[in-house]
Amino acid sequence: MAVKKTTEAILPTTPLADVFRLTEPQKKGLAKIGIVTAYDLLYYFPTRYTSTAEIKHIANLIKGEDATIYGRVVSSKTSKGFKSKIPMTEAVIEDSTGHIKCVWFHQAYISKMLIEGSMVKLSGHVEERSGSPYLANPDLARTKELPIGSTDSLFQSEDETIFYPVYPETRGITSRFIYHHIQKLFSKGILENIVDAIPADILARYHLPTLTTSLVWIHTPQKEADALSARKRFAFEEVFMIQLARQQERALTKEHSGFKIVPEKNALADFTARFPFKPTASQEHALKDIFADFKKGIPMGRLLEGDVGSGKTFVAATAAYATVTTAPLDNKFGNLQVAYMAPTEILAEQHFKSFIEYFKDTNIEIGLLTGSGAKKFPSKSDPNGATSISRAQLLKWVAEGNLPILIGTHALIQKSVQFKNLGLAIVDEQHRFGTAQRSKLAKKDEVLPHFLSMTATPIPRTLALTIYGNLDLTLLDEMPAGRLPIKTELVTKTNRSRMEEHIRAEINNGRQAYVICPRIDEPDPTKEAALNAKSVIAEADRIATDVFPEFNVGILHGKMKPDEKEWVMEEFKKGAINILVATSVIEVGVNVPNATIIVIEGAERFGLSQLHQLRGRVIRSNHQAYCYVLTDSTNEVSQKRLKALTTAKNGFELSELDLTLRGAGELSGRKQWGISDLGMEAIKNIKMVEAARTEAARLIAEDTSLSNYPLLLDTILKNHRDTHWE
Ligand code: ADP
Ligand code: MG
């Protein structure tokens, strides 16, 4: 007997390919934008809406504009180009005000949609030939009726405006495809199978629509306010989920125990007295915060945020000293150990050298582990120097607890690296170093090492509250005394030569300069690195041949091998290279005190905080430093932004300005912080961020494991919990 087959319900997890017949190009396109399941498609949001208010009358079309028109097909024909043999479809469309010709190339199928007398909606670019406007390759959709009923006039009153979502497109996937497939999912009843992860009381508290309502409103809004409400809800959702993940991480961390570290006062004073300077009040304050955490017996999780040059290394070194002079709980053997992780080999090498400086004659040994090898200080033959050793030997010492301090790159979190008694993990400029990495370092379940994250990336408070929700924050908002404020100048084509003369004079005076090439944005990272390398090489060529033939010019970019980079940095440090041409993405925080000039080309392409960080490279000494910000952009907003560089007091101020002056979408949240453009809209809104934070904290306090909220747990496990290295 045949069993009647019921149509299966579409669930959010159902792969789209099971629901729709998709062509190969469509499958590829969807994969590219990360859409696999029905859920993915529903969460693919429009970037904007066109409304019927934007609909133009044919008679009013102006060459060069993008326009949407509604009209009736008068005639259409398809032919092949005389020479090119390219299929071409032509149609004449009319509305109550006139008619216009439309032309499509390579789209023979389009003629099938152009039935004489039928209504169509066209969106495209208005071109002109022999004085008459026409639309070339416009987007075509058939519609049953004019958006505002059947009157002759296309004028409508405000309240009758209809909105159409516009989705980001990719090859094989048009905005229209997305729209129609979402509507099909709706009509197949998917909304009935969707459960809102956000508890209803939270939504009610902030007047946010439910998930099903929001999905309908964001994809098919009846009015602008609906679309806005929906966007607000999804923005809240994103920030709330991140907060929830971070708050949970924080709570779970505190359930572990941490080593009690109570430094001996005199010993600590002796150590800080070794430095050739007096710590700033900010540095003292930071140490106070850290030692207060160290006392508690639970693992510290603290972020030390301070501009480049504010002296974070001093704080790190002092905390490290206190740690390695403390015995572990069981007190069986040796002292606690410190891991200090830097984002690049050059920086790791630099920290290694600084630490050698700070720790020499203390009998505290220091190791360096990077992708290129291992080193140890002091060397047997030279008590003041380091020596290369085998990786295996270094790892053995680390595992036996015989090496107190290990500095390195990502190499430190490899499986083969086993600390005996890791007490403190310090990471420099790693925004997304989560519990997973921490426990990898610890490799013990019961005791988690203390964790000190350091960053010079100034970010707005709302963003910090969100992405660093798992950490306590200490600001180093004071520069060491005696620093001359950097002189920053905007340079355009007209005053370039004056800048060049000044650079020449400074270099002749013994100083050195960085030239930073414009950033080239490319979705494909390999391509991006290649393009950036190319522009560095070209710029270095230009400078060495045309501008400063008398000076030595070096290059530094991401395509170079580690030892090539290291060699260049050494030459630059030694002063053998006068001008270093580099990309922006690498080696922030490189320390060459004699480099006092930085030239930043194409500055309008950078964020303010990024520019601020770049110029931080040259405030490493007491020589007057100069930053030249080059732009040929006359855009008012970018001028205003760049001018702020000459007036703002610190990086935090600039990051806030960036958030207000640039659209949230321009802050490239996805790339840097893993936050979508929509989520960045929430970041602009302090109230929303605080609401999300309050609610997340409340839930976690009530139910740390989120056992009563399986859907929330599911979401954060999937999306936000396991923060990865960038
Ligand atoms: P950051 O890592 O915060 O960018 P560093 O720790 O590299 O900064 O310090 C920058 C420079 O300032 C170093 O040369 C360091 O020796 C020096 N420095 C740090 N603290 C002080 C201080 N309190 N007074 C004077 N110089 C300092
Ligand atoms: Mg630093």
Side-chain angles (χ1 to χ4, degrees), residues 608-621:
L608 284 180
S609 341
Q610 222 183 343
L611 290 168
H612 176 70
Q613 261 187 297
L614 283 171
R615 76 176 163 182
R617 286 186 195 185
V618 295
I619 43 173
R620 298 258 157 181
S621 76

Side-chain angles (χ1 to χ4, degrees), residues 463-477:
L463 185 58
L465 285 179
T466 305
I467 59 173
Y468 298 131
N470 53 328
L471 302 175
D472 295 310
L473 190 67
T474 297
L475 294 185
L476 276 190
D477 51 6

Side-chain angles (χ1 to χ4, degrees), residues 2 15 17 57 74 85 90 143 145 159 214 245 255 273 302 312-313 341 349 354 363 404 428 495 526 541 625 692:
H57 285 156
V74 179
K85 301 280 182 266
E90 280 182 278
T143 75
E145 51 189 353
D159 54 340
S214 304
E255 285 177 1
R302 189 164 285 282
K312 293 185 289 295
T313 321
M341 209 167 333
E349 185 88 34
S354 305
N363 280 328
D428 207 5
N495 49 1
T526 344
D541 251 9

Side-chain angles (χ1 to χ4, degrees), residues 338-636:
V338 172
Y340 186 174
M341 209 167 333
T344 65
E345 291 201 8
I346 291 184
L347 282 172
E349 185 88 34
Q350 208 161 79
H351 291 323
F352 183 55
K353 284 184 185 144
S354 305
F355 266 53
I356 290 175
E357 228 10 74
Y358 302 155
F359 284 88
K360 73 175 170 225
D361 309 323
T362 56
N363 280 328
I364 294 169
E365 303 193 339
I366 306 167
L368 175 73
L369 181 67
T370 66
S372 346
K375 288 184 188 171
K376 185 186 151 276
F377 167 84
S379 97
K380 271 199 195 108
S381 52
D382 173 9
N384 290 319
T387 183
S388 288
I389 58 169
S390 80
R391 223 183 103 83
Q393 180 62 67
L394 184 89
L395 293 182
K396 190 162 165 277
W397 282 330
V398 171
E400 290 168 354
N402 276 326
L403 191 72
I405 300 178
L406 181 61
I407 297 173
T409 52
H410 298 51
L412 293 198
I413 50 167
Q414 286 162 358
K415 263 217 177 77
S416 53
V417 186
Q418 295 276 349
F419 288 86
K420 182 168 172 71
N421 288 311
L422 185 65
L424 169 66
I426 305 169
V427 293
D428 207 5
E429 291 302 338
Q430 296 292 340
H431 315 122
R432 309 176 68 189
F433 191 84
T435 307
Q437 284 80 23
R438 244 169 115 176
S439 35
K440 258 190 211 157
L441 269 171
K443 290 170 189 125
K444 280 187 191 168
D445 289 337
E446 61 295 9
V447 203
L448 264 189
H450 296 295
F451 178 60
L452 179 65
S453 180
M454 307 199 293
T455 181
T457 310
I459 59 171
R461 207 172 85 83
T462 45
L463 185 58
L465 285 179
T466 305
I467 59 173
Y468 298 131
N470 53 328
L471 302 175
D472 295 310
L473 190 67
T474 297
L475 294 185
L476 276 190
D477 51 6
E478 179 186 13
M479 281 299 195
R483 291 277 157 79
L484 295 170
I486 188 166
K487 286 194 176 145
T488 300
E489 202 179 309
L490 288 191
V491 180
T492 53
K493 278 195 188 101
T494 50
N495 49 1
R496 234 187 141 105
S497 62
R498 203 167 53 99
M499 167 191 82
E500 286 163 0
E501 280 327 300
H502 181 242
I503 295 175
R504 176 164 285 121
E506 286 289 310
I507 296 181
N508 281 329
N509 239 330
R511 303 283 83 78
Q512 289 163 283
Y514 294 100
V515 174
I516 306 301
C517 289
R519 185 180 65 191
I520 299 162
D521 264 324
E522 232 299 320
D524 178 350
T526 344
K527 231 183 192 171
E528 184 170 271
L531 285 172
N532 280 314
K534 208 168 135 192
S535 89
V536 164
I537 294 164
E539 179 64 8
D541 251 9
R542 188 187 73 84
I543 291 175
T545 351
D546 302 344
V547 192
F548 298 116
E550 72 270 46
F551 298 138
N552 287 330
V553 178
I555 57 170
L556 198 62
H557 58 72
K559 291 292 253 186
M560 286 160 66
K561 297 207 177 71
D563 53 337
E564 289 175 335
K565 286 194 209 169
E566 198 179 324
W567 182 82
V568 169
M569 278 317 296
E570 275 312 313
E571 293 294 291
F572 190 58
K573 260 193 177 167
K574 283 198 307 216
I577 290 172
N578 306 107
I579 302 173
L580 185 62
V581 183
T583 50
S584 62
V585 281
I586 51 160
E587 327 309 358
V588 193
V590 157
N591 192 1
V592 180
N594 193 48
T596 56
I597 303 162
I598 187 162
V599 176
I600 305 170
E601 298 273 356
E604 73 281 357
R605 301 204 203 164
F606 295 102
L608 284 180
S609 341
Q610 222 183 343
L611 290 168
H612 176 70
Q613 261 187 297
L614 283 171
R615 76 176 163 182
R617 286 186 195 185
V618 295
I619 43 173
R620 298 258 157 181
S621 76
N622 292 341
H623 291 296
Q624 176 63 56
Y626 301 89
C627 170
Y628 291 107
V629 177
L630 277 77
T631 178
D632 290 325
S633 161
T634 49
N635 177 295
E636 211 176 300

